[in-house]
Amino acid sequence: MKTITRLKDMDKIENSLAGDTGVCIVGCGTCATMCRTGGQEQVASMKRSLQALGKVLTGTLVVPTACDELSPQAVRDHKHAFDDADAVLAMTCAFGVQTLASTLMRPVIPALDTLFLGKEQAVGSYSEICMQCGECVLEDTAGICPVTACHKGLLNGPCGGTNKGKCEIGNDTDCAWAMIYNRLQAMGRLDRMRKYQPPKNYQAVSKPGKVQIPLQGSEAQ
Amino acid sequence: MSTAFKQALEDGKFVVTSEIGPPKGVNLDPMKHHIELLKDRVDALNVTDNQSSVMRFPSLGGTLNVKELGAEPILQMTCRDRNRLALQADLLFAYSRGVRNVLCLTGDAVPVGDHKQAKAVFDLESVQLLHTVRHLETGKDLGGNDLDGPVEFCVGAIVTPEADPLEPQLLKFEKKIQAGAEFFQTQAIYDLNNFRAFMDFARQFEVKILAGIVLLVSARMARYMNANVPGIFVPDELIAELEAAPKGEALKTGIRIAGRMIRELREEKICDGVHIMAIGKEEVVPDILAAAGM
């Protein structure tokens, strides 16, 4: 599972950087590299685009994992690049943007939009896997998540828009409930689908998400 | 408490419902004209709820117009645009104004409509909304709080007899019955043999089934629906019949087809009634009924 990101329109990035001349670009060696949105190659390409727009590049770097503790260290290691920059362009997920922003007293501009947590099914083709609803129902749905994979997040079976195994929204999207039905049937567990699923608890996770989980086992000693 | 519509279902007569589509705007005259035209020909009139995810005058408002003009309304309620607080509040309001028949729907997807960037709600869905209505009838809301004044509704749902695959749809149909659905209005049906097979299954349950009749106005429309509308299947013979219509007479042929189907459903007692959807051509519903010998 990784954070799936997509490059913003260059017009939008140019707009966000209006008035800033010195720019430092930060990529990420983890999810954004795997998505080919914030790796070495994309950072180098962005550098050329910004230079063509008349920006002065004070530095470019790809930190190992933009969201974690090492980012502040990487920022310290490249102090001059950041000190000389009017703005930092983050080619990372939104988590990376926020980690950098909390470390730097500089505007941090996202170059990417963060789409969802998912996986790459084929080259360049990404699917969302889990919406982190805080109330897992996979035990009744044959390991396929209807909250995520059904366009409407339905819990009690397919809607009238199901069409030959596909969803009415198009894009060749599979109907989650057709898949769930097929698997449950193959396993002889259709009784799971007959069970009434009550409305979800949308406060299962407080918003903004914040939780204190007591330590268990030996760690609790 | 029984509504006039529920009484009609229980009397065992062949029930006829039709639908009213509220306007985009506040010129209610055409909608009121359709209500006037149909009110003495049908047992109840559905009022659609932002149908096809297109923003319109609300179904709740439309059902009040139906009441005011002396007809029996069925409030269509989708879960796309309102969360559980708003749905329950609207049910209380509907009851207070004498709107006592509710059709519980999940609702079309937002991207098929005209506000494609809107946030889809789906806090509840059709089965949960049916449960919600039945729960309100116990005198409590979904939060477990007492209601000051009970409600009572005649509750329905929809089913798609031509869904592909059909089995998951039938399973959900059963869940809707368990959740308290008393009647079903089906998605459009055109193949009576397929529909008979569906009714053989549905007859084991104590629910009333009104077959969905969508007026065909051209061979082009039939082909379009076959290609683009999930759960609709127009057989080739009907398309050929529409195609063979003389220039300018396709609508007449569509009326004849709809009338013939209704007559067959009624005479052979295949189901308990029909729900006629003449999308945009409400003025010909009386002609359809005349063609059906009603």
Side-chain angles (χ1 to χ4, degrees):
Chain A
M1 187 150 85
K2 55 181 170 257
T3 305
I4 310 303
T5 46
R6 181 169 59 198
L7 182 66
K8 285 176 178 283
D9 286 342
M10 207 53 212
D11 289 352
K12 177 116 189 165
I13 294 171
E14 188 182 350
N15 242 331
S16 301
L17 289 172
D20 297 321
T21 307
V23 179
C24 177
I25 306 175
V26 182
C28 172
T30 312
C31 302
T33 290
M34 290 191 280
C35 283
R36 294 171 287 276
T37 50
Q40 296 286 1
E41 198 180 318
Q42 295 78 37
V43 167
S45 164
M46 178 61 75
K47 178 180 175 180
R48 290 191 293 276
S49 299
L50 293 185
Q51 282 170 333
L53 291 172
K55 304 292 180 189
V56 175
L57 274 294
T58 62
T60 63
L61 68 152
V62 175
V63 297
T65 308
C67 58
D68 79 3
E69 305 297 324
L70 294 174
S71 287
Q73 181 61 48
V75 167
R76 281 192 290 277
D77 292 348
H78 295 78
K79 191 172 180 309
H80 289 299
F82 290 103
D83 283 350
D84 295 346
D86 299 308
V88 176
L89 185 68
M91 299 183 77
T92 72
C93 74
F95 199 162
V97 175
Q98 294 187 44
T99 303
L100 289 166
S102 68
T103 308
L104 293 160
M105 198 37 80
R106 283 278 180 284
V108 182
I109 310 296
L112 311 180
D113 284 316
T114 301
L115 308 183
F116 50 81
L117 291 184
K119 66 176 180 185
E120 191 165 11
Q121 309 279 18
V123 178
S125 174
Y126 303 94
S127 292
E128 188 171 18
I129 302 299
C130 173
M131 288 180 61
Q132 304 151 328
C133 70
E135 216 186 25
C136 198
V137 296
L138 288 167
E139 71 272 24
D140 288 328
T141 58
I144 296 163
C145 176
V147 179
T148 309
C150 168
H151 174 76
K152 300 174 186 170
L154 303 184
L155 293 176
N156 282 294
C159 71
T162 181
N163 198 11
K164 300 178 181 70
K166 296 293 175 185
C167 173
E168 68 177 328
I169 60 157
N171 306 327
D172 203 36
T173 301
D174 291 319
C175 169
W177 278 104
M179 293 193 291
I180 293 168
Y181 179 88
N182 290 341
R183 267 178 69 81
L184 287 175
Q185 191 196 32
M187 293 188 290
R189 288 165 77 91
L190 278 178
D191 57 308
R192 298 301 174 114
M193 190 167 156
R194 291 182 187 281
K195 194 167 101 182
Y196 170 62
Q197 297 283 359
K200 276 193 89 61
N201 172 14
Y202 285 96
Q203 305 304 322
V205 182
S206 62
K207 186 173 164 52
K210 191 169 183 164
V211 64
Q212 181 78 45
I213 299 174
L215 295 177
Q216 297 291 321
S218 59
E219 288 179 319
Q221 307 304 309
Chain B
M1 180 212 67
S2 190
T3 69
F5 171 61
K6 185 168 176 164
Q7 199 56 51
L9 290 172
E10 284 171 358
D11 286 347
K13 62 175 287 208
F14 191 78
V15 171
V16 178
T17 58
S18 189
E19 73 174 20
I20 296 294
K24 187 138 190 129
V26 292
N27 175 13
L28 304 182
D29 294 341
M31 178 175 79
K32 288 181 178 171
H33 170 68
H34 289 149
I35 296 169
E36 291 278 10
L37 195 68
L38 300 180
K39 67 177 188 184
D40 297 325
R41 307 298 307 269
V42 300
D43 295 293
L45 282 171
N46 288 41
V47 183
T48 55
D49 178 10
N50 288 340
Q51 192 172 24
S52 305
S53 307
V54 171
M55 192 287 294
R56 293 169 186 280
F57 188 79
S59 58
L60 196 45
T63 57
L64 298 182
N65 292 117
V66 172
K67 283 279 311 172
E68 284 159 11
L69 294 170
E72 176 81 349
I74 298 176
L75 173 66
Q76 293 199 183
M77 210 172 217
T78 73
C79 301
R80 180 193 52 239
D81 310 324
R82 286 165 287 183
N83 71 3
R84 65 191 83 175
L85 278 81
L87 288 166
Q88 291 179 100
D90 281 356
L91 283 163
L92 297 183
F93 178 74
Y95 182 86
S96 77
R97 299 293 293 270
V99 176
R100 308 283 165 88
N101 309 299
V102 186
L103 186 77
C104 298
L105 305 146
T106 293
D108 288 315
V110 166
V112 306
D114 71 346
H115 285 62
K116 294 181 191 302
Q117 299 190 353
K119 181 173 184 178
V121 180
F122 300 118
D123 182 27
L124 306 181
E125 32 87 309
S126 55
V127 180
Q128 294 163 345
L129 180 57
L130 287 161
H131 266 280
T132 300
V133 178
R134 290 310 188 209
H135 187 77
L136 289 175
E137 290 177 337
T138 69
K140 301 248 186 211
D141 68 13
L142 286 183
N145 309 296
D146 290 332
L147 295 176
D148 184 7
V151 297
E152 201 177 341
F153 289 98
C154 174
V155 191
I158 64 161
V159 64
T160 306
E162 293 279 5
D164 180 8
L166 182 60
E167 294 77 12
Q169 182 74 203
L170 295 182
L171 200 151
K172 190 159 184 181
F173 170 70
E174 284 187 62
K175 284 176 100 162
K176 288 179 174 180
I177 295 169
Q178 281 156 12
E182 297 166 64
F183 69 93
F184 282 82
Q185 292 172 318
T186 79
Q187 172 60 290
I189 56 131
Y190 294 100
D191 185 319
L192 289 190
N193 286 332
N194 289 352
F195 187 62
R196 278 191 193 92
F198 166 76
M199 284 307 302
D200 284 343
F201 172 81
R203 279 295 182 219
Q204 63 185 300
F205 305 101
E206 289 268 318
V207 286
K208 302 292 182 178
I209 310 282
L210 310 185
I213 304 290
V214 169
L215 173 69
L216 295 170
V217 298
S218 65
R220 200 168 139 239
M221 172 196 178
R223 284 203 196 89
Y224 176 84
M225 291 203 301
N226 273 350
N228 297 295
V229 183
I232 289 194
F233 166 63
V234 186
D236 289 342
E237 312 88 84
L238 293 187
I239 297 177
E241 193 176 336
L242 287 160
E243 202 115 71
K247 202 167 161 54
E249 306 249 311
L251 175 61
K252 235 184 224 173
T253 304
I255 292 169
R256 188 177 71 220
I257 291 170
R260 188 173 69 216
M261 284 174 51
I262 295 169
R263 182 191 292 265
E264 210 171 326
L265 290 164
R266 180 170 170 232
E267 286 178 358
E268 295 184 30
K269 296 188 166 46
I270 296 172
C271 58
D272 306 296
V274 285
H275 177 55
I276 304 170
M277 294 165 273
I279 309 153
K281 293 262 185 297
E282 285 78 4
E283 70 278 8
V284 306
V285 172
D287 301 333
I288 295 172
L289 289 169
M294 296 181 75

